[in-house]
Amino acid sequence: MSKRILGLGNALADILTQIDTDRILEELQFERGSMNLVGSETHHRIAELTAGLNSKVISGGSAANTLRGLARLGIPCSYIGKVGRDSVGEFMRTEMESMGVLPQLIETHTPTGRCMVLISPDGERTMATFLGAAIELTPQEILPPPC
């Protein structure tokens, strides 16, 4: 039996958005370069304020990011996390598979978590994280990966 690395973490989609000025940060009362945990209302407000700006969506969360790097090195990896039954959750699954990570994503009706990464013109990143479904993962849902 070959060995695998199993990661467990917050399944989050990173939404990288280039902002023209720090006006949005001021309006949200976010300190430049900070990481802010936000609820669904603030998450939706940020989405409204950044609508139409240049954005890119990638799978994220520190455990998933680490496993993608290990998979690129040829190390077999599996990942456990919780996502919503939504397009973002499906994106997470397909992107992880395409990177060589075996996803074990538990689904719920709560939206998939997202980290809105607001990138200022000078490259400074300010993050607003909505944990969504990720926060609902329970010990009973954590099962060993299939061989």
Side-chain angles (χ1 to χ4, degrees):
M1 178 168 114
S2 67
K3 294 187 179 187
R4 307 183 74 81
I5 293 181
L6 175 62
L8 170 70
N10 290 331
L12 304 172
D14 287 346
I15 303 170
L16 311 172
T17 304
Q18 191 73 45
I19 56 177
D20 298 331
T21 69
D22 288 340
R23 178 191 53 77
I24 291 174
L25 302 179
E26 293 164 6
E27 187 167 332
L28 295 166
Q29 298 180 351
F30 288 164
E31 182 179 330
R32 278 174 46 90
S34 63
M35 197 293 287
N36 307 274
L37 287 176
V38 300
S40 61
E41 286 182 27
T42 302
H43 165 73
H44 289 298
R45 178 74 178 130
I46 296 167
E48 289 172 0
L49 290 170
T50 58
L53 296 178
N54 186 22
S55 294
K56 178 181 179 180
V57 181
I58 60 173
S59 62
S62 56
N65 291 343
T66 300
L67 292 172
R68 280 199 325 263
L70 291 169
R72 284 184 182 166
L73 295 172
I75 300 169
C77 298
S78 297
Y79 175 78
I80 297 174
K82 195 159 192 174
V83 297
R85 288 185 180 104
D86 53 27
S87 61
V88 177
E90 185 56 34
F91 168 80
M92 297 282 295
R93 181 180 309 282
T94 57
E95 186 175 77
M96 292 185 92
E97 288 171 345
S98 74
M99 298 291 225
V101 176
L102 176 64
Q104 294 179 255
L105 299 175
I106 297 104
E107 294 183 349
T108 182
H109 291 289
T110 302
T112 301
R114 295 159 172 88
C115 180
M116 309 287 279
V117 182
L118 305 172
I119 306 168
S120 296
D122 64 357
E124 180 69 69
R125 298 174 308 145
T126 303
M127 295 181 254
T129 303
F130 166 66
L131 292 173
I135 202 166
E136 295 178 359
L137 185 64
T138 66
Q140 295 77 20
E141 294 173 308
I142 301 170
L143 302 172
C147 296

